[in-house]
């Protein structure tokens, strides 16, 4: 057992005390690390993707526009371990009266099924992106059980009697100006109003008053509306939401007209289909930290990396106990992931979102391994789940 230094605050109930095996192919350890702003305490899960009993997948609260604590998502899915995932629409102080959706920033794939695409870069929540990165960046695991960094870009069309429109959004909390986005049952019941707020250069810009919605079911327009709606979307129904020029194109449609919606996420690097993908941003690529990483702002962080050709996954979460809350800079995260053996690494949401959970021996539910900075643990948009089957 490798014991870390004593933490400030009571240990989470059932938390692992040092190091050990969660299951075959899934190991856990914790240790102290000296950083520029002070000592931090690191929690690390190592996942062997060559183990036939082990796989990883997206943890989800059951809808794109929803949030739940990592522990609740892990227990609901039957995961043996997990960490929090992507940055998300956490508040709407810039748009009073607009419902917060809780939806994540980047693309998401769960069980091989595309859930959503990325919001425009200017509409993201989270720290500034490193140069050369984008909201379309993902860490994913393919059907070949190997982890990769990639970009997933929405490719979609709306075919109408009057011509074909480009689809610019899929279950997103923000749409590009002048565009049309699609919303399915995977979105959930939250209002779609937020998707018409902000601009392509300013997340705080006001909400558009030039909007229009069309419901498509069975390949035909079944309803129209002058503005964004809310409530659950029935299975087999697609809601098309347009703003500005996109709204004008949708107004040309009438009930009964035939409409065909097609969408997919196109990878930029891999030809292997993804079983799982989560958004965030790269910090380490081919063993080298990205240029321009922030070396000043330290915080509690969550990160994921991989080694051995994508066959070994490293999940890192810092402890949020008071004594360790100074945290790491993004540049330090990249350096530490490289030190741990990662070839490529990816930053996930941090701060109050940082949570690592695992199911200890004999337990029926997971326990929180780190000390999140919020109590109770923050509800988040998604996570990375580690699963084990006999």
């Amino acid at each position: 057992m490798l014991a870390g230094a004593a933490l400030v605050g009571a240990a989470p109930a059932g938390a692992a005390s040092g190091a050990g095996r969660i299951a075959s192919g899934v190991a856990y350890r914790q240790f102290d690390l000296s950083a520029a702003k002070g000592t931090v305490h690191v929690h690390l899960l190592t996942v062997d993707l060559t183990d036939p009993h082990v796989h990883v997948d997206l943890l989800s609260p059951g809808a794109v526009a929803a949030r739940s604590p990592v522990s609740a998502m892990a227990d609901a899915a039957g995961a043996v371990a997990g960490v929090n995932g992507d940055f998300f629409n956490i508040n709407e102080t810039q748009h009073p009266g607009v419902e917060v959706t809780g939806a994540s920033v980047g693309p998401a794939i769960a069980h091989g099924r595309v859930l959503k695409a990325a919001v425009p870069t200017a509409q993201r929540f989270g720290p500034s992106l490193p140069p050369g990165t984008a909201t379309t960046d993902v860490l994913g695991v393919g059907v070949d059980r190997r982890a990769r960094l990639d970009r997933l870009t929405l490719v979609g069309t709306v075919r109408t009697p009057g011509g074909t429109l480009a689809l610019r959004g899929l279950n997103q909390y923000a749409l590009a100006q002048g565009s049309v986005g699609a919303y399915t049952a995977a979105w959930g019941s939250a209002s779609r109003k937020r998707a018409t707020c902000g601009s392509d250069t300013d997340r705080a810009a006001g909400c558009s008053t030039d909007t229009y919605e069309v419901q498509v079911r069975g390949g035909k327009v079944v309803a129209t509306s002058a503005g964004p709606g809310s409530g659950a979307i029935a299975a087999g129904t697609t809601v098309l939401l347009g703003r500005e020029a996109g709204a004008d194109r949708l107004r040309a449609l009438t009930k009964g007209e035939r409409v065909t919606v097609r969408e997919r996420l196109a990878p930029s690097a891999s030809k292997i289909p993804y079983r799982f993908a989560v958004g965030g941003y790269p910090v380490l690529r081919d063993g080298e930290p990205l240029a321009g990483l922030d070396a000043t702002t330290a915080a509690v962080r969550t990160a994921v990396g991989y080694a051995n050709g994508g066959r070994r996954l490293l999940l890192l979460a810092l402890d949020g106990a008071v004594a360790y809350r100074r945290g790491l800079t993004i540049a330090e995260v990249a350096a530490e992931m490289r030190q741990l053996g990662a070839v490529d690494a990816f930053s996930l949401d941090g701060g109050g979102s940082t949570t690592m959970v695992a199911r200890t021996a004999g337990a029926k539910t997971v326990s929180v391994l780190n000390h999140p900075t919020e109590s109770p643990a923050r509800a988040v948009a998604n996570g990375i789940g580690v699963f084990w089957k006999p």
Side-chain angles (χ1 to χ4, degrees):
M1 302 289 283
L2 174 66
L7 303 184
V8 176
S17 59
R21 191 177 77 161
I22 303 299
S24 67
V26 185
Y28 165 73
R29 67 184 178 105
Q30 55 177 309
F31 56 92
D32 284 348
L33 177 67
S34 295
K37 301 293 178 67
T39 300
V40 298
H41 196 71
V42 179
H43 299 261
L44 182 71
L45 286 167
T46 303
V47 183
D48 180 4
L49 295 177
T50 67
D51 188 313
H53 301 290
V54 178
H55 75 274
V56 297
D57 213 324
L58 192 75
L59 295 178
S60 169
V64 168
R67 294 196 293 160
S68 183
V70 176
S71 57
M73 291 190 289
D75 284 339
V80 297
V83 296
N84 63 289
D86 198 359
F87 302 86
F88 59 93
N89 175 205
I90 192 170
N91 67 65
E92 281 304 325
T93 56
Q94 298 162 324
H95 305 111
V98 174
E99 181 182 353
V100 178
T101 68
S104 63
V105 168
I109 296 176
H111 320 302
R113 175 189 173 209
V114 173
L115 297 181
K116 67 177 299 290
V119 302
T121 297
Q123 291 264 27
R124 69 182 295 274
F125 287 78
S128 298
L129 289 174
T133 65
T135 55
T136 53
D137 283 310
V138 297
L139 179 134
V141 175
V143 296
D144 61 350
R145 299 172 57 82
R146 295 176 64 175
R148 296 174 177 84
L149 297 186
D150 209 336
R151 283 187 174 175
L152 295 177
T153 304
L154 179 66
V155 177
T157 57
V158 181
R159 185 173 298 174
T160 77
T164 299
L165 317 180
L167 189 67
R168 299 277 303 281
L170 175 64
N171 292 328
Q172 297 168 203
Y173 70 77
L175 295 174
Q177 290 175 272
S179 71
V180 172
Y183 295 81
T184 67
W187 168 254
S189 59
S191 170
R192 296 176 289 278
K193 173 71 174 178
R194 174 59 185 86
T196 65
C197 301
S199 72
D200 293 349
T201 57
D202 183 8
R203 191 182 75 198
C207 301
S208 177
T209 57
D210 185 6
T211 63
Y212 201 75
E213 273 196 349
V214 169
Q215 288 189 35
V216 178
R217 185 166 57 247
K220 293 183 179 180
V221 176
V222 296
T224 62
S225 173
S230 62
I233 299 171
T237 297
T238 299
V239 175
L240 298 174
L241 172 59
R243 56 179 296 183
E244 297 92 37
D248 287 341
R249 298 296 298 271
L250 293 183
R251 287 190 189 99
L253 299 175
T254 58
K255 290 178 67 174
E257 284 190 310
R258 299 204 65 83
V259 173
T260 303
V261 182
R262 305 285 189 204
E263 78 280 331
R264 64 184 179 91
L265 292 180
S268 65
S270 175
K271 295 181 180 180
I272 305 296
Y274 284 100
R275 175 184 174 84
F276 145 77
V278 67
Y281 58 87
V283 296
L284 184 70
R285 204 184 287 275
D286 296 326
E288 295 296 329
L290 271 66
L293 293 181
D294 179 11
T296 302
T297 306
V300 176
R301 308 283 185 182
T302 307
V304 55
Y306 57 83
N308 191 26
R311 298 176 180 88
R312 178 161 58 94
L313 203 63
L314 304 170
L315 301 172
L316 177 147
L318 298 185
D319 205 281
V322 175
Y324 301 103
R325 203 168 289 178
R326 296 178 185 89
L328 296 175
T329 67
I330 290 298
E332 288 175 321
V333 169
E336 178 58 17
M337 293 302 287
R338 181 170 63 174
Q339 181 67 26
L340 291 169
V343 175
D344 292 341
F346 200 68
S347 178
L348 301 168
D349 193 9
S353 298
T354 292
T355 310
M356 178 178 284
V357 303
R359 195 187 308 167
T360 54
K364 295 182 179 180
T365 59
V366 298
S367 298
V368 179
L369 301 182
N370 69 326
H371 292 79
T373 62
E374 295 185 5
S375 182
R378 178 185 287 175
V380 296
N382 56 33
I384 300 175
V386 182
F387 297 84
W388 190 93
K389 291 184 178 181

